[in-house]
Amino acid sequence: MSHEERRENSMNTIDIHLRAARPLDRIFNDPDQIVEDGIRGYLLAHPDILTGTKNPRVLRRAHKGATRKVGVITGGGSGHEPAFLGYVGKGMLDAVAVGEIFSSPTAASFLDAMREADNGAGVACLFGNYAGDTMNVRLAVDDATREGIAVGTVVANDDVASAPKDDAARRRGVAGEILMWKAAGARAEEGASLEEVLATARKAIDNTRSIGVGLSPCTIVANGHPNFMIEAGTMEVGIGHHGEPGVAISRLGSSRDIARMMCDHILPDLPFGAGDEVTVLVSGLGATPVIELYVLFADIADIMHERGITIRHNFVGNLFTSLDMKGVTLTVMKLDAELDRLMSHPAHAIGLTRVGSAPESPVTAAPAATAHDQGAHGALAETERYIPTSGIALESTRAVVPALVSAIVGARDWLSEIDGKIGDGDHGINMAKGFARCGQALGDAPPTMEGGLRALSDSLMAGIGGSMGPLYGRFFEGLAKPLAGVSHIDAHLFGLMLDGAEAGIRSLGNADVGDKTLMDTLVPAVRAYHAAEGQGLKAALAAMSVAAEQGRDSTRDLVARIGRASRLGERSRGVLDAGATSCCLILQTMAASLSAIAEA
């Protein structure tokens, strides 16, 4: 049986047998509050290392030094502990933004982390190569720059299995991020400038390669079941930290077999060769006994010795996990004199402590940094000012946004089930959480559609992170913009609202029809609306609704070209895209709500 057939059979097994399962062997109170509860525990357990901030999703070092130095930050989804918050501490990170399980932190949290870490010398934001992180960091950098905070970024892409070497820019960032944080954090402690810290971080990740092997799936508590299965006696070679499939499914061999296979993938890629000195990091994925990690490390050390490679530094343990997944990640960094020195530098964090003496060279204060433009994402396209004098009264639209909230919250499990087939399985969870927060904020006296859409945008941007937070935040912001100062909604105005929503999405990326994203729903829906706009609002809404559903269904036959699912290639064909599905639900709910008002 082929790799693809086995993967599909695994998905079908979940779909049939585990759809309604709930984890009975897990420790939690409210599955939707597990991140908040976990953060509370970390702060209570490690007050000497971590402290909270006004933003509950941003943590910083407990003791912020008075000396001006470059701040080093990161951010990422929860479920990978001790990454990411476990690497805040002396000689490592200064602050961290915390996301939902397997989901990027929000732009607001990244911005707050930058503010917390800024000490006058600028901030280095070092993060993994995932769409949600990239979008949210870009938005945060723009805001930080406007505030006068100089921010530079480096994106980790050390996972050799996630894309070919000649397409390395698409590779994921995995456990190699730890070594990047270690090198950059130590360089910042030495008093280096922002440009020097960023150069060190780039060198560190450019000289680092990783690969993961999965032996069992993981389960997001709020989902209650794994999104994929790994057949007993097999291993997923090149698996990602969210369960993304790798390059092959192989029979499970001995530790020596696994070690040789992993080295055969990693060592030729840089390449590493005889005479090189390296750092080796072996991380469990959450459920692998520590003794087995050391068995594997011993076999890796033997292979390195055979090939004339000297291990100068090693880190072994559960360092970058994936909830309760059984498996392991191997990371290897080629050293030069600078990286060797920085790996030896003292560090004290929850996830990594290195005891030693700092270099004897004096620590000099880093020069003051000035804000500089890191590349703006581009503002939302300006919409023409149009003030209709007839149509649906804006005062009558107060129920539209509550209807959207009900629709998304009600589709929570369905959307996550769809997402779980080729993604993390968290789309419905995160969307429902953001929409529900908006519903709670609106209360029993919701505002008109303009205020409701703006509240929904704010709630999603600040509350759900990942890629959907900024994308739908900009979507609803664009929808609301033409409503400013109007008292009625007619066919032309709603067309401008749709144009604003599309412009908001396009301001954050380059996805388009055919890429298996929400654009496959949105673009044909907007075009169909405009084609029928002359027939009046109700007819145009009906046309939009039909086109949205057709666009959603078209994603079933597409191969993903953007986002996490793009790494699956042909294996992404045959299932709906979760973003396209939620977009269809949003558009159809708005169409139904506005049509009902028009008939009243």
Side-chain angles (χ1 to χ4, degrees):
M1 184 181 293
S2 71
H3 181 190
E4 290 77 10
E5 290 171 331
R6 273 185 275 190
R7 188 76 180 188
E8 183 62 29
N9 284 348
S10 296
M11 291 178 178
N12 290 339
T13 300
I14 298 167
D15 193 48
I16 295 170
H17 297 295
L18 298 175
R19 186 177 302 168
R22 173 179 171 81
L24 300 177
D25 56 349
R26 305 291 287 275
I27 298 172
F28 62 93
N29 294 312
D30 180 346
D32 290 331
Q33 295 295 313
I34 194 167
V35 175
E36 288 80 0
D37 291 346
I39 290 173
R40 177 172 172 266
Y42 270 97
L43 291 174
L44 289 170
H46 303 285
D48 57 323
I49 298 175
L50 283 175
T51 190
T53 68
K54 292 180 180 179
N55 184 333
R57 289 302 184 90
V58 174
L59 308 179
R60 66 169 177 83
R61 286 169 63 168
H63 305 290
K64 187 174 182 179
T67 304
R68 186 170 62 215
K69 81 168 195 66
V70 172
V72 183
I73 74 164
T74 193
S78 299
H80 302 300
E81 288 73 23
F84 295 80
L85 55 77
Y87 296 101
V88 174
K90 182 178 180 181
M92 295 288 291
L93 300 169
D94 294 283
V96 65
V98 181
E100 295 289 343
I101 299 291
F102 291 175
S103 186
S104 164
T106 64
S109 292
F110 273 115
L111 176 59
D112 284 340
M114 293 169 188
R115 290 167 173 158
E116 292 289 341
D118 181 40
N119 206 18
V123 176
C125 181
L126 316 178
F127 61 100
N129 192 18
Y130 299 91
D133 298 271
T134 300
M135 289 180 189
N136 284 294
V137 167
R138 186 166 59 182
L139 292 172
V141 169
D142 289 345
D143 289 340
T145 300
R146 283 191 284 271
E147 294 182 10
I149 302 173
V151 182
T153 62
V154 177
V155 181
N157 60 338
D158 51 299
D159 183 9
V160 301
S162 54
K165 186 176 181 180
D166 60 5
D167 196 14
R170 291 183 57 245
R171 287 179 168 178
R172 299 180 291 241
V174 287
E177 293 180 56
I178 299 170
L179 301 184
M180 175 176 66
W181 301 330
K182 176 73 178 73
R187 192 74 181 96
E189 295 276 1
E190 290 179 342
S193 68
L194 176 58
E195 289 71 21
E196 289 169 333
V197 171
L198 294 171
T200 295
R202 290 190 193 98
K203 180 201 288 187
I205 205 65
D206 287 347
N207 283 278
T208 299
R209 299 292 187 271
S210 300
I211 191 168
V213 170
L215 309 183
S216 71
C218 60
T219 297
I220 299 175
V221 170
N223 274 1
H225 60 77
N227 295 328
F228 63 97
M229 293 297 289
I230 298 176
E231 184 181 341
T234 68
M235 59 183 178
E236 183 92 43
V237 179
I239 199 165
H241 278 101
H242 307 96
E244 305 97 328
V247 293
I249 293 177
S250 302
R251 299 304 303 178
L252 180 59
S254 67
S255 173
R256 291 188 185 88
D257 294 334
I258 296 172
R260 193 163 300 280
M261 177 274 299
M262 297 178 92
C263 288
D264 286 345
H265 277 282
I266 284 181
L267 298 184
D269 195 85
L270 188 61
F272 298 85
D276 287 340
E277 295 183 333
V278 300
T279 294
V280 170
L281 183 150
V282 175
S283 175
L285 293 181
T288 306
V290 172
I291 191 170
E292 295 179 19
L293 301 179
Y294 280 96
V295 170
L296 182 69
F297 175 79
D299 292 324
I300 290 167
D302 289 344
I303 294 169
M304 295 293 181
H305 180 73
E306 289 172 9
R307 302 191 186 186
I309 299 172
T310 301
I311 299 177
R312 286 272 298 159
H313 309 276
N314 67 82
F315 303 95
V316 182
N318 285 309
L319 305 172
F320 200 125
T321 64
S322 185
L323 293 173
D324 57 335
M325 190 187 297
K326 187 177 290 185
V328 65
T329 297
L330 169 64
T331 298
V332 183
M333 171 194 276
K334 182 185 287 190
L335 299 171
D336 62 6
E338 179 191 32
L339 292 176
D340 183 36
R341 180 184 81 249
L342 298 176
M343 290 298 105
S344 299
H345 195 282
H348 182 47
I350 296 167
L352 187 152
T353 293
R354 169 68 43 125
V355 178
S357 300
E360 294 183 359
S361 55
V363 175
T364 57
T370 57
H372 52 90
D373 186 10
Q374 295 292 323
H377 56 72
L380 286 176
E382 289 294 325
T383 56
E384 67 177 271
R385 291 302 299 142
Y386 170 72
I387 310 294
T389 57
S390 62
I392 294 175
L394 194 62
E395 273 296 319
S396 66
T397 63
R398 296 179 184 273
V400 174
V401 171
L404 290 174
V405 171
S406 295
I408 292 296
V409 171
R412 174 185 184 274
D413 293 343
W414 178 52
L415 292 173
S416 288
E417 180 183 345
I418 291 171
D419 188 38
K421 294 182 182 295
I422 56 173
D424 296 350
D426 64 352
H427 183 69
I429 296 168
N430 289 338
M431 289 284 286
K433 193 168 187 177
F435 275 68
R437 284 176 176 171
C438 176
Q440 292 167 0
L442 296 181
D444 297 329
T448 66
M449 195 172 176
E450 180 193 3
L453 291 174
R454 292 191 185 279
L456 191 49
S457 173
D458 292 343
S459 179
L460 298 179
M461 292 282 281
I464 71 170
S467 59
M468 288 298 106
L471 285 172
Y472 273 128
R474 283 299 178 93
F475 174 94
F476 288 114
E477 180 185 2
L479 270 177
K481 191 172 183 180
L483 290 172
V486 306
S487 60
H488 292 80
I489 301 174
D490 66 3
H492 183 58
L493 185 73
F494 192 76
L496 295 177
M497 293 169 64
L498 290 175
D499 291 341
E502 182 179 342
I505 296 292
R506 291 191 184 278
S507 74
L508 290 177
N510 58 359
D512 215 326
V513 175
D515 290 333
K516 201 179 179 88
T517 70
L518 65 83
M519 295 299 275
D520 289 294
T521 292
L522 179 60
V523 173
V526 174
R527 302 298 176 267
Y529 180 91
H530 284 306
E533 190 176 312
Q535 302 172 36
L537 180 59
K538 284 187 61 178
L541 289 170
M544 176 190 77
S545 185
V546 171
E549 188 166 329
Q550 292 172 343
R552 176 201 69 192
D553 292 346
S554 74
T555 64
R556 192 186 304 275
D557 298 321
L558 296 175
V559 173
R561 296 202 292 247
I562 287 180
R564 188 169 291 149
S566 65
R567 299 184 175 95
L568 299 179
E570 279 293 328
R571 282 175 287 164
S572 66
R573 195 191 299 275
V575 298
L576 293 175
D577 176 72
T581 304
S582 62
C583 185
C584 179
L585 180 58
I586 288 167
L587 293 175
Q588 289 187 328
T589 300
M590 281 198 297
S593 297
L594 291 173
S595 294
I597 296 170
E599 291 175 355

